[in-house]
Amino acid sequence: DYDIVVHAPMRRLDRKPLEWHCVLSDLAKDFKMIIIGGPNDIEEWHIPGADHRVPRDFLETADYINSSKLFMGAASSCNVIAEALKKRRLVELADDCHNTYPYGLTGQCANGMTLPEIVAAAQHMIQQN
């Protein structure tokens, strides 16, 4: 089981990849993390200490997400899976992403947060489990 599951294709993020790299690297020091993606985007992230996988199918993807404490990343099919499973989510919305609502009891939007605020929010959400 992982503390954090990340699915963050760079094309779906708002902030610069280097900023997310700093956040994920910081969190990977203290939490067990897996970065999941498709064959066309898994190579975008090289986070020391994190596992990297291309799931076989959505069932395997859902298993990773369900066994985690927190989903982090972009508005994507993985975010939808995390929302359906009522998992805690920290989601960043790209400019063209108007059909996603990452708010409420289990969701929080990372847009507008500073990098330390994202790290603190992730730590808090994990500790709530």
Side-chain angles (χ1 to χ4, degrees):
D1 292 357
Y2 291 92
D3 297 313
I4 304 171
V5 173
V6 177
H7 180 252
M10 290 181 185
R11 70 187 180 281
R12 302 298 298 158
L13 295 172
D14 186 52
R15 66 184 86 232
K16 294 179 180 2
L18 180 58
E19 293 175 278
W20 271 109
H21 189 278
C22 291
V23 166
L24 298 177
S25 294
D26 193 21
L27 290 168
K29 292 175 190 172
D30 297 320
F31 299 102
K32 191 170 179 188
M33 179 185 294
I34 185 169
I35 298 171
I36 59 174
N40 60 338
D41 59 32
I42 192 68
E43 295 299 322
E44 293 176 344
W45 299 106
H46 300 285
I47 305 299
D51 290 338
H52 298 77
R53 297 254 165 72
V54 176
R56 287 183 312 272
D57 51 31
F58 280 118
L59 185 58
E60 183 178 356
T61 300
D63 189 43
Y64 284 126
I65 293 168
N66 193 44
S67 65
S68 73
K69 296 177 182 171
L70 174 66
F71 170 82
M72 289 183 74
S76 66
S77 56
C78 296
N79 171 56
V80 173
I81 292 169
E83 184 174 9
L85 292 169
K86 303 297 184 215
K87 302 306 288 187
R88 298 198 185 281
R89 298 167 291 116
L90 189 52
V91 181
E92 183 170 82
L93 302 177
D95 283 338
D96 63 346
C97 233
H98 305 293
N99 61 345
T100 302
Y101 189 78
Y103 305 97
L105 294 176
T106 60
Q108 192 168 356
C109 185
N111 294 61
M113 289 182 170
T114 65
L115 302 186
E117 287 171 338
I118 293 172
V119 171
Q123 292 167 335
H124 177 72
M125 292 172 99
I126 291 168
Q127 291 168 354
Q128 287 180 317
N129 283 319

